[in-house]
Amino acid sequence: RLKISLVLLDAPLQLPWDISLEMADYLFRLEHVSADCLLTPEEELTLLKRCICDVADKRCSTEAGHTPLGIALCKNRRTALRARAAAGLGRHFSVSNIAALENGGGERPPCCTVELPKRAAEGRTRWVHAWHPTVLEETPEGLEGMLEEL
């Protein structure tokens, strides 16, 4: 759906799906996306410009399925891609290889601010409220395990 969305961005029709929800699902499962279906960083940025990346956005609606986690994933991915583009780096840096770079020197990864979603009111739901250095690279099962530990 995201590839189709890219092709139809300038078309005079409304897509029958929400690009923000599709992008959040894509980012949540990014490590499981086949190589043929991966978006380039430029394609991701193009789509993220149209996504809801702030809970204060007037398009944000819990009834439509928007969640603080999905919005945070989109916002953080957009910030990371912009930092990579500003640094002129084409290769991907992850949390796992940053430690290796710190020990052995070499090219430094671009830096950017990562935001965590606001914690829900007590009693409503248990939410991520403590930073974990690999939270953005976790699988859905790994995140569930982290949430159960809280």
Side-chain angles (χ1 to χ4, degrees):
R1 287 186 174 177
L2 291 174
K3 292 273 191 182
I4 294 169
S5 299
L6 273 170
V7 173
L8 297 175
L9 277 181
D10 296 325
L13 59 100
Q14 182 155 347
L15 297 172
W17 54 80
D18 186 326
I19 294 176
S20 297
L21 295 176
E22 296 296 327
M23 181 58 82
D25 286 343
Y26 171 81
L27 294 174
F28 199 66
R29 294 169 180 82
L30 188 57
E31 66 186 37
H32 301 290
V33 177
S34 70
D36 290 335
C37 295
L38 282 174
L39 299 170
T40 66
E42 294 79 18
E43 290 173 333
E44 284 187 45
L45 275 173
T46 299
L47 289 170
L48 285 166
K49 288 178 187 173
R50 308 255 177 148
C51 288
I52 297 170
C53 293
D54 190 346
V55 291
D57 189 318
K58 64 181 180 180
R59 300 173 295 161
C60 181
S61 165
T62 55
E63 291 82 26
H66 301 121
T67 64
L69 177 60
I71 292 168
L73 284 171
C74 290
K75 183 175 187 172
N76 290 334
R77 182 66 172 180
R78 183 183 68 182
T79 303
L81 290 172
R82 285 178 176 171
R84 272 181 60 200
L89 299 173
R91 78 177 218 221
H92 173 72
F93 287 98
S94 65
V95 172
S96 60
N97 65 11
I98 288 175
L101 285 169
E102 288 175 350
N103 292 332
E107 188 179 9
R108 300 292 299 163
C111 295
C112 64
T113 302
V114 175
E115 293 187 23
L116 294 175
K118 287 182 73 172
R119 185 175 179 190
E122 288 294 329
R124 282 190 55 211
T125 182
R126 295 174 62 195
W127 192 243
V128 177
H129 63 276
W131 173 250
H132 188 282
T134 60
V135 72
L136 297 178
E137 296 179 350
E138 283 291 336
T139 63
E141 296 79 19
L143 286 173
E144 288 295 325
M146 287 172 35
L147 289 172
E148 289 177 17
E149 291 176 14
L150 294 176

